[in-house]
Amino acid sequence: MLKCRAAWRRLAPLARASSTLCRQNAKRAVLRNERRPDLNCSQMSTAPSGGGRENTLYVVLVGAACLGGGVYAYRTVLGDKQRYQERISEIASRTRRVEPEQQKVQTQTEPAAATEATKDVPEEAEEPQAVVEEERSPAPAETSAPAEAADLPLGSIEAPTEPITEAPEQAVTQDDTSEAISDPPLRIDTPNQPVAPTEEIEPLSNTPEASEPSPAPVLESEVAPVAVDESISEVSVQLQDVPVVESEHSAAVVQETAVEPTPVVPVLPEHAPYLLIGGGTASFAAARSIRARDPRARVLIITDEQDLPYMRPPLSKELWFSDDPAVTETLRFKQWNGKERSIYFQPPSFYVDPVELTKVENGGVAVMTGKKVVHMDVRGNKVRLCDGSEITYDKCLIATGGIPRNMQVIERAGEEVTKRTTLFRKIDDFKSLEKISRTVKSITIIGGGFLGSELACALGRKSADVGLEVMQMFPEKGNMGKVLPEYLSNWTTEKVRREGVQVLTEALVKNVNFKEGKVEIKLKDGRVVKTDHIVAAVGLEPNVDLATSGGLEVDSDFGGYRVNAELQARSNIWVAGDAACFYDIKLGRRRVEHHDHAVVSGRLAGENMTGASKPYWHQSMFWSDLGPDVGYEAIGIVDSSLPTVGVFAKATAKDTPKAATEQSGTGIRSESETEAVAGKMSPTLSTPIPPVAKDDYGKGVIFYLRDNVVVGIILWNVFNRMPIARKIIKDGEQHADLNEVAKLFNIHED
């Protein structure tokens, strides 16, 4: 009404102006002109003929104002009524909780009033929780049939002494209802049993105590003598959902509902000061480095694999030469020196439970297995996992490694070919291929690089014992043709063939099909190979799935996350391992996919995450073993397209991977390296280099040149000399006679 009055006050002057002249203005005009003007005034309601237009305007304005006020009043009353109904429904739908031995209400009129208020709740409101109505009236006398008892609501049982207290007007949150609250059983007594008073229903409160589980009281009430089955003595009614039961049959049986315990979901840490994405070698090296510089650091590793951090090189090397039939379960192997070790870096007892990471006094390293980070919020310093949970961090390391590359001809070949193809990378791939090698008759390895050649030698040596046919094909002219010079690649190919492998060189795959229970591989030159299983070892793609969501730069030439000399992609984000494309101050921008690089880059990233600010100047090495007799170590850029100079000598019994591990005491040769830098290189004169028989590459050193500067070195069956090779590349000098440089490696010593 106040708004209608205000509107009228604004509209009335406008209506009056059409028929009445302001007297004040008239007086002023008389004072100025010394005469009173003749005003033809039209009255509002008593105007003479000719003033109907002004009256019509006045009526329209007044009518519009009245109509608007009426509409507004109607909508206001209707809205108030609707909100009132919603409020009543909300109050009526709240869960009631029964507490034993509460204070009893003295007056008898209040229960009746509460009962009437409960009855007024409209039944049409669809609420997730129904209302349990309590009536204080005595039991009806006309209950001679079971149908009448069944027609009674579950809540309409006499409660002669205790009132019903409505719940307070606070919404019940889902956290309150998710607690393990015992459901109050409702007991229907037989006519011969005495009637016990009901317990008072305690209103819900917003205090923390209200969310605690309460004991299950018993509501006892009398039902008129009806024919009720004696087997029905107790009815458990769920507290969160107690609907009103209405039966249309002549008899009704209330079934007992069992309360299922809510499974306990472990609470994962919501924040990690140091978050490492990826569970490989780089992450473990970073975690160990962080803990070394900050002994109280809390480090969380998230990996999508089901295994704890482990080393990958034995998967294609030593594990295949184990005599233990349970090697796939124990994952323990004997090194070339005979010592046994596990593939895992540390046992499970080394790590902290992720749930307890924030509670451990001195910090620790926790690993979340089977979880994948799918989104990265760089500005918010948080990541989202595959299950939707989020974890915030202070500093983060991305060490997601790479994904095995598949061939398009295999992807297009269909499901039968795909399920008979292994992309070798993880522990599960080793277990699967080892089992397949004992059940099939032939396996074909596509790829002539490090992984393909290592698996070919491993399976070839095993083929004689299990009757397995092993074939290897690649487009190059020899094994590791992209790395080794042609003459050494051809020699390596013959070595692989002596291991029992059928090697097909210059083999380009054209098509792959599945026919008559065999996988048929057609080559471009017309050759056809039929096999039972395929191992695709054709390279690795860096895992850069988080680049889009995190806004991180990916290198267009080498792939991987583009980082600076400190392996930093952002102010609080570092990248290490196979996924890092870093800048080498000597060799330019590079990306390396080897174990030693993962160790060194992960260690440096961990140091920089704790404030070291060190540049990455270390030249990482890598190695490969073709069985226990032939192996090599390499450093720098080793590309067969570069000019090379090789210096070889006759090998002895000490010049094998087995002898090298016996001397160093470890099978992972990067772990035996020291950070000591080789001293000044001043080779002394020695005996002349004896001639080496043709095609006898027992041991030697291969130098890779670019602009007459050594940029890469391979030590062929020469071990524990890597600091010298690193020093040569670091100096970046031109050498007139590389034979004299080769003497630094003592390849001519017996």
Side-chain angles (χ1 to χ4, degrees):
M1 295 303 294
L2 294 177
K3 291 186 177 181
C4 294
R5 184 179 300 172
W8 165 249
R9 288 178 178 177
R10 293 192 177 187
L11 293 174
L14 298 177
R16 295 191 185 98
S18 64
S19 59
T20 305
L21 184 63
C22 181
R23 295 181 179 273
Q24 185 176 2
N25 293 336
K27 291 180 180 180
R28 292 176 181 176
V30 170
L31 294 176
R32 287 195 303 267
N33 301 323
E34 296 181 355
R35 63 183 181 88
R36 186 179 184 89
D38 295 331
L39 300 176
N40 186 13
C41 300
S42 298
Q43 301 298 324
M44 296 174 58
S45 60
T46 60
S49 59
R53 184 175 181 181
E54 290 80 4
N55 292 339
T56 303
L57 178 61
Y58 174 78
V59 171
V60 170
L61 292 175
V62 172
C66 295
L67 181 61
V71 171
Y72 176 81
Y74 174 77
R75 294 183 61 182
T76 302
V77 173
L78 184 63
D80 292 341
K81 183 178 179 181
Q82 184 177 1
R83 286 191 294 271
Y84 173 78
Q85 295 293 340
E86 292 176 355
R87 187 61 176 171
I88 292 298
S89 301
E90 178 185 357
I91 295 174
S93 63
R94 290 175 181 170
T95 306
R96 298 165 183 250
R97 185 171 301 175
V98 182
E99 297 290 347
E101 300 299 329
Q102 298 291 336
Q103 296 180 355
K104 299 182 178 180
V105 180
Q106 300 299 329
T107 62
Q108 298 296 331
T109 59
E110 295 179 358
T115 304
E116 294 297 327
T118 308
K119 290 182 179 180
D120 293 336
V121 178
E123 298 180 357
E124 291 79 11
E126 296 180 2
E127 295 293 332
Q129 298 177 350
V131 181
V132 180
E133 298 181 357
E134 300 289 346
E135 297 182 1
R136 294 195 70 263
S137 59
E142 298 177 1
T143 54
S144 58
E148 299 177 1
D151 290 338
L152 293 174
L154 290 179
S156 61
I157 300 176
E158 181 181 7
T161 59
E162 296 300 326
I164 296 177
T165 305
E166 289 187 356
E169 297 182 0
Q170 282 107 1
V172 180
T173 61
Q174 187 173 357
D175 294 336
D176 296 332
T177 58
S178 62
E179 298 292 339
I181 301 177
S182 302
D183 294 339
L186 183 64
R187 189 167 67 193
I188 302 177
D189 298 331
T190 57
N192 296 330
Q193 293 179 344
V195 178
T198 58
E199 299 294 340
E200 181 184 5
I201 298 180
E202 180 71 10
L204 290 177
S205 63
N206 200 21
T207 59
E209 290 78 4
S211 62
E212 296 297 330
S214 60
V218 178
L219 299 179
E220 297 181 356
S221 57
E222 182 182 0
V223 179
V226 294
V228 183
D229 191 355
E230 295 181 358
S231 62
I232 305 176
S233 60
E234 292 185 357
V235 180
S236 297
V237 182
Q238 292 186 355
L239 186 59
Q240 297 180 2
D241 190 7
V242 187
V244 178
V245 180
E246 296 181 357
S247 176
E248 297 179 358
H249 304 283
S250 59
V253 178
V254 183
Q255 297 181 351
E256 180 178 354
T257 304
V259 180
E260 298 181 357
T262 303
V264 180
V265 180
V267 180
L268 299 178
E270 298 180 355
H271 178 77
Y274 297 96
L275 179 64
L276 312 183
I277 304 175
T281 302
S283 283
F284 181 79
R288 190 162 52 184
S289 179
I290 292 172
R291 292 280 296 171
R293 291 177 56 87
D294 185 3
R296 300 175 65 89
R298 290 176 170 84
V299 183
L300 177 62
I301 299 176
I302 301 178
T303 174
D304 58 351
E305 298 188 46
Q306 299 295 334
D307 300 285
L308 297 174
Y310 61 92
M311 59 188 77
R312 299 189 189 275
L315 295 178
S316 59
K317 298 180 178 69
E318 293 90 345
L319 283 176
W320 289 98
F321 297 93
S322 175
D323 297 331
D324 185 5
V327 65
T328 56
E329 301 298 331
T330 62
L331 295 176
R332 299 187 63 86
F333 61 94
K334 287 185 177 180
Q335 303 171 149
W336 303 136
N337 59 0
K339 295 182 179 180
E340 188 178 78
R341 68 175 299 176
S342 173
I343 194 175
Y344 296 101
F345 289 112
Q346 292 292 345
S349 59
F350 172 82
Y351 302 97
V352 179
D353 190 340
V355 180
E356 303 294 333
L357 181 61
T358 58
K359 304 176 184 178
V360 179
E361 181 179 359
N362 295 324
V365 180
V367 181
M368 290 175 56
T369 59
K371 301 289 184 180
K372 183 178 181 180
V373 177
V374 297
H375 186 271
M376 191 171 192
D377 184 1
V378 176
R379 293 185 177 180
N381 287 354
K382 63 182 178 180
V383 297
R384 185 172 71 244
L385 307 184
C386 54
D387 58 359
S389 58
E390 293 184 347
I391 299 177
T392 59
Y393 61 86
D394 294 333
K395 297 180 180 180
C396 178
L397 172 69
I398 300 177
T400 51
I403 303 173
R405 186 184 296 118
N406 199 358
M407 304 180 65
Q408 294 184 358
V409 292
I410 296 178
E411 293 177 346
R412 297 193 301 261
E415 182 180 358
E416 293 296 331
V417 175
T418 301
K419 69 182 183 181
R420 289 171 172 81
T421 302
T422 297
L423 303 178
F424 199 88
R425 176 67 174 172
K426 304 177 181 179
I427 289 180
D428 293 339
D429 301 329
F430 165 74
K431 293 181 178 180
S432 175
L433 186 59
E434 200 278 335
K435 181 180 179 180
I436 291 173
S437 66
R438 291 185 280 105
T439 57
V440 301
K441 295 182 179 180
S442 61
I443 294 179
T444 299
I445 302 170
I446 302 178
F450 300 105
L451 179 61
S453 300
E454 291 171 0
L455 289 176
C457 289
L459 291 173
R461 180 165 294 195
K462 185 179 180 180
S463 62
D465 299 332
V466 297
L468 177 67
E469 181 183 10
V470 181
M471 290 173 284
Q472 183 186 17
M473 59 177 61
F474 42 81
E476 294 81 23
K477 295 182 179 180
N479 286 79
M480 292 176 289
K482 294 182 179 181
V483 176
L484 302 178
E486 184 177 353
Y487 62 90
L488 197 56
S489 175
N490 295 334
W491 185 91
T492 304
T493 302
E494 295 301 323
K495 173 66 172 60
V496 175
R497 285 173 175 159
R498 289 195 296 268
E499 295 290 342
V501 181
Q502 300 181 22
V503 181
L504 302 179
T505 62
E506 300 179 298
L508 296 175
V509 179
K510 179 181 180 181
N511 192 13
V512 180
N513 295 314
F514 181 76
K515 292 183 179 180
E516 300 177 355
K518 292 281 188 178
V519 179
E520 185 178 271
I521 305 174
K522 294 183 180 180
L523 305 180
K524 288 189 176 181
D525 57 4
R527 289 178 291 179
V528 178
V529 176
K530 294 184 178 182
T531 184
D532 294 326
H533 196 81
I534 295 177
V535 178
V538 292
L540 194 71
E541 289 288 344
N543 188 347
V544 291
D545 293 343
L546 298 177
T548 302
S549 61
L552 304 178
E553 184 181 1
V554 177
D555 190 86
S556 58
D557 296 330
F558 301 96
Y561 297 99
R562 195 179 180 92
V563 297
N564 59 14
E566 297 178 4
L567 303 179
Q568 197 171 21
R570 288 289 184 90
S571 59
N572 58 345
I573 298 177
W574 287 259
V575 186
D578 299 344
C581 181
F582 61 97
Y583 180 77
D584 191 318
I585 58 177
K586 289 295 183 181
L587 305 177
R589 188 158 291 277
R590 305 173 59 200
R591 190 178 67 84
V592 182
E593 300 174 356
H594 296 291
H595 177 83
D596 182 66
H597 169 68
V599 174
V600 176
S601 63
R603 182 170 61 232
L604 179 64
E607 292 178 356
N608 290 339
M609 291 173 74
T610 55
S613 300
K614 295 181 179 179
Y616 186 79
W617 60 267
H618 179 80
Q619 288 293 333
S620 61
M621 56 88 68
F622 62 92
W623 79 97
S624 180
D625 294 335
L626 304 179
D629 300 328
V630 177
Y632 61 89
E633 298 175 353
I635 188 173
I637 300 177
V638 286
D639 189 345
S640 59
S641 62
L642 296 175
T644 61
V645 174
V647 180
F648 292 91
K650 186 175 181 180
T652 63
K654 299 183 299 181
D655 302 319
T656 61
K658 182 178 180 180
T661 54
E662 290 177 352
Q663 181 180 357
S664 63
T666 177
I668 306 300
R669 292 197 281 278
S670 64
E671 297 178 359
S672 65
E673 283 196 78
T674 62
E675 294 300 326
V677 180
K680 183 178 179 180
M681 296 181 299
S682 56
T684 59
L685 296 176
S686 59
T687 58
I689 301 175
V692 180
K694 185 179 181 180
D695 296 339
D696 184 9
Y697 306 110
K699 64 178 179 178
V701 181
I702 301 97
F703 300 96
Y704 291 77
L705 306 177
R706 185 170 63 187
D707 298 332
N708 295 326
V709 176
V710 177
V711 295
I713 298 175
I714 285 183
L715 304 181
W716 187 263
N717 274 342
V718 177
F719 308 100
N720 302 324
R721 300 288 191 275
M722 192 52 62
I724 301 175
R726 185 174 287 112
K727 180 68 167 55
I728 294 174
I729 295 178
K730 183 179 179 181
D731 291 343
E733 298 177 356
Q734 295 185 0
H735 300 277
D737 189 0
L738 291 176
N739 287 324
E740 295 296 325
V741 179
K743 295 178 181 179
L744 297 172
F745 298 94
N746 299 325
I747 62 174
H748 304 295
E749 292 183 356
D750 295 336

